[in-house]
Amino acid sequence: MASSSGIDDILRDMAVPESVINKFMDEKVTKEVVHLMTDEQLCSLGLRAVGLQVLLRSRCSGQRPESNSSAETVKVEKAKLFAPYQRLKGDRGQSSNQSSTKRKRKRAVSSSYVKFFVLPLCTSNALPTGKSKSSLHELGLGEHVVRLDEDAEIGDIKTALEESCPKLKDGGGFDILKAERGEKRLSVLVPPKNGFSLQYLRSLSRTCIFYVRPIQKDLDMSTTVEETDDQRVVVNDVLVDCINCSKSFSMSSMKRHRESCGSNGSRPSVIYPDGQQLVSDEEVVIVAEPIDSPATTTSTGDLRAFLRSNELPHMRPTGRLTNTHTATSGVRPRPSTTHPADQPSEPSTSGTQPRSASYRSYVQQCIDDMDLSSDDEDCTIMSVAIMENIQANKLDELPLSEILKTLTELIEEESSSKFNVNRAQLWECAVRGFRRVSFRASNRLSVHFTDSIGTMEGAIDEGGPRREFLTLLRKALQESVVFEGQLDNRVLSLNSKALNQGLYKIAGMMAAVIVVHGSIKLGFLSKTTFHVMAYGYTAKANPDDIPDYEVKAHIESILGATSLEALTAATEQASALISMAGCFRAIKAIEEKDSLARDLTRFYLIDRARSAYESFFEGMEALGVLQSVRQHPKAWEECFCNAQEELSSEILEKLFKYELTADADSNRRKAENSTVAFWLDLLLDIQDGASEVSFDDILMFTTGLNRIPITGFHLQPKIEFLHEAESGEAEPSKFPKAQTCSYVLKLPIHGAYETFKEKMEFGILSAHGFGFA
């Protein structure tokens, strides 16, 4: 009989795999407690089939059939399990035609089993390893096989997944990902117009595993419910008394009790290398805001690098000093639990300004001597030093120009990345250049433009061609497929072809290179896009930034509803969008419209394009731009969002200095004075709209830039005069010339203003750059 056998013998007799048997033995499960265990607990041990669970309970309770054959036993239990279906089959001929038709209609809907693998993090995009698979399985995540009807849609898939993996409910929706053959990275599946369905998933693959990751919140990585101290069945456990409260608890649950007991009992003392012993319960905690991740911690080596480096740090002090009772004592940096996305802060300058001498000397001495004791005198000195440093940094907030000057120090002038560019195909040429194996964002850019017949234009790139290339690249990036929406308010699009080709990462690198190498403002990103870049994926999304007119109209209709009936009608019209966003809910009050509209806006602008954001930000890590943006968000906002400052006649008049002949009474000087007057009149005509050229054209012709750079020109632009014929010319040029590398504009000499204006307009509009008319 089963009662005389162990649980392992019963499982082997049921032909259960040894791995499952080992789990039962590791948990010390006996026959006496099997009937107390829930289906979920048996599933967690690997016994997922309902028939095997029923069979195990019956055998452990001593009701094993008298058959000695395992095959016969399985046959008997199978007959019991499917007895109701056999009765239905036997009664089929005796039922009425109507009930028969109904049963046939039900049998017509078949079902399939689909494998999903639940990933824990919102940023998960790589195939899990074998070790991580087993760890996730123990946490209730990992692989889940769900049963879906053939007509299952996204709502059915969501319900089935959340029933199989309850932790997925806390993720705020989920992405479905798929691994391409031979690739270790996962790609996010773009939902079709009608949303995900089983038929759509089957059309992609009938055998592969689909991966699922949360959208808004990382899943709980703690032990699953069935494995907690309260519910897990632990056999042969013993009771121990809590030293603090004197209550008795099982040994397996004592650790959990100690965390909530608030014990003030004795603690292990800390002995440092110098022999000092620390027994104080007081701890000075330096709370710091992490730039990259809320989970970032700072080791001794990182702190030493923070003190000695002149570059941007990974963490910055916030000035909050707290005394806490903890299990270990000492002075150590601890990351704040508040993410920068939740509390946008003022731009910090701690990374580039000289730090307080007292702060640097004290902490450096502590590190070098390895004396991190927390006696009262040292704590007081350190607190004062840190506060002095914080106040000094607050007084000296860095402007964007100073931040850029720091980043440009990363450019290696002795190395170069070469670009061969045809202006008619600038985007394609730029993409090839950024994809080149030898390309490095930190290398100096060397640009060669080619004309229509393929000959090389210009010689050595000393700055002019590079500036023109970056100016044109900014416009090409603004109009590229990776963005959508109004030209001056662009958001990241979701283009599967561009995503598969890696264009979002390349676009991110382009943005970083344009800003750092060219000191050029982008000025066309929407506030939503920039806030995601600066503060993370929890940033607020603005419905006005939605480029799709139909989607925007649906959300505006929901926000504009004034009654529950109007809101219900608006949600019915937007049912496809709500289904795609996973925002189905029962609307019971008109006040719920704001939260629904907010969730839909966030889904369309942020969550839907999550994979595009991740790839774009990966490219923006070049030259430390992304890290700097997250450290100084307010300073960078004017670079990415605010439109470039328009030029005026007054700005250009003050921008140039004149190289005039020293002899004020000479004929050359008189001609120069007349030409200067013509030049200033031309600027006024442009201001009044009475000229074919623009201020942008003039600045582009002279410097290769159509706007004044963020950091300013390293040389002041100047105006010279074409008195004499230059090399290879028979007479002085009648048209303007320029040296873009040294910012020199050469004006022709004419006796009448109309002639001067005509030649200037023709020369500037006919030149491709490099200042050759």
Side-chain angles (χ1 to χ4, degrees), residues 368-379:
D368 293 339
D369 297 341
M370 288 300 296
D371 179 14
L372 301 182
S373 59
S374 60
D375 53 23
D376 295 339
E377 182 180 358
D378 284 352
C379 288

Side-chain angles (χ1 to χ4, degrees), residues 733-754:
S733 175
K734 298 179 181 180
F735 302 97
K737 290 188 175 184
Q739 295 175 356
T740 56
C741 297
S742 53
Y743 310 137
V744 177
L745 174 62
K746 299 182 179 181
L747 300 179
I749 304 295
H750 293 284
Y753 171 70
E754 294 300 328

Side-chain angles (χ1 to χ4, degrees), residues 714-730:
H714 67 281
L715 297 174
Q716 184 176 3
K718 60 183 178 180
I719 289 178
E720 296 181 354
F721 302 90
L722 295 169
H723 290 288
E724 300 173 350
E726 295 186 346
S727 177
E729 297 179 349

Side-chain angles (χ1 to χ4, degrees), residues 403-652:
I403 298 173
L404 274 180
K405 287 178 181 178
T406 302
L407 295 181
T408 53
E409 294 177 359
L410 301 175
I411 299 176
E412 301 175 4
E413 295 294 336
E414 63 276 7
S415 304
S416 64
S417 296
K418 295 183 179 180
F419 288 82
N420 298 312
V421 180
N422 177 8
R423 291 183 182 85
Q425 299 176 333
L426 186 132
W427 176 256
E428 292 80 2
C429 295
V431 170
R432 286 200 303 269
F434 276 87
R435 280 179 173 165
R436 194 166 290 119
V437 176
S438 60
F439 172 78
R440 296 290 183 274
S442 58
N443 290 351
R444 175 179 57 85
L445 302 186
S446 178
V447 180
H448 279 168
F449 282 99
T450 60
D451 61 14
S452 58
I453 60 174
T455 58
M456 300 307 295
E457 184 184 278
I460 300 175
D461 183 357
E462 296 181 353
R466 178 173 68 252
R467 288 190 291 271
E468 182 186 356
F469 168 65
L470 293 176
T471 300
L472 297 176
L473 181 60
R474 174 199 170 276
K475 183 179 180 182
L477 177 63
Q478 182 182 15
E479 299 172 351
S480 67
V481 295
V482 301
F483 292 106
E484 60 181 343
Q486 301 177 5
L487 280 178
D488 59 348
N489 195 49
R490 304 288 270 173
V491 298
L492 276 182
S493 64
L494 182 59
N495 187 306
S496 59
K497 182 178 179 180
L499 196 61
N500 294 332
Q501 293 177 348
L503 288 183
Y504 287 95
K505 181 178 179 180
I506 291 176
M509 282 193 291
M510 287 179 176
V513 168
I514 289 171
V515 172
V516 177
H517 283 262
S519 189
I520 300 172
K521 288 184 178 181
L522 290 187
F524 57 77
L525 294 186
S526 68
K527 291 294 182 67
T528 298
T529 304
F530 175 76
H531 287 166
V532 174
M533 181 194 309
Y535 303 122
Y537 295 104
T538 57
K540 183 179 179 180
N542 188 348
D544 294 336
D545 294 338
I546 296 178
D548 188 291
Y549 174 78
E550 184 177 355
V551 172
K552 188 175 181 179
H554 283 317
I555 295 177
E556 288 177 346
S557 178
I558 292 174
L559 287 172
T562 57
S563 64
L564 186 60
E565 292 76 12
L567 180 58
T568 303
T571 55
E572 290 177 355
Q573 293 179 355
S575 58
L577 174 63
I578 295 175
S579 174
M580 189 183 304
C583 295
F584 271 121
R585 63 188 70 175
I587 304 297
K588 299 179 180 179
I590 187 66
E591 291 77 15
E592 298 179 25
K593 66 178 183 178
D594 293 333
S595 62
L596 177 59
R598 182 174 61 250
D599 292 344
L600 293 177
T601 303
R602 173 180 295 279
F603 163 76
Y604 191 86
L605 289 177
I606 302 177
D607 299 336
R608 182 182 64 96
R610 182 71 171 264
S611 55
Y613 275 108
E614 292 173 354
S615 184
F616 184 77
F617 294 160
E618 185 179 355
M620 281 202 63
E621 291 176 356
L623 296 167
V625 173
L626 182 63
Q627 179 184 352
S628 180
V629 168
R630 290 175 175 175
Q631 188 176 22
H632 306 280
K634 290 192 176 181
W636 279 99
E637 186 168 346
E638 65 173 283
C639 174
F640 287 99
C641 300
N642 298 345
Q644 296 178 326
E645 182 183 0
E646 295 293 333
L647 297 174
S648 65
S649 60
E650 183 179 357
I651 292 176
L652 259 65

Side-chain angles (χ1 to χ4, degrees), residues 265-273 276-286 322-334 370-375 379:
S266 61
R267 300 189 178 152
S269 60
V270 181
I271 300 178
Y272 291 100
Q276 294 185 8
Q277 183 172 356
L278 181 65
V279 295
S280 173
D281 291 334
E282 294 296 324
E283 176 191 22
V284 177
V285 180
I286 306 174
T322 59
N323 292 331
T324 59
H325 296 277
T326 59
T328 60
S329 299
V331 180
R332 56 184 176 87
R334 174 184 297 174
M370 288 300 296
D371 179 14
L372 301 182
S373 59
S374 60
D375 53 23
C379 288

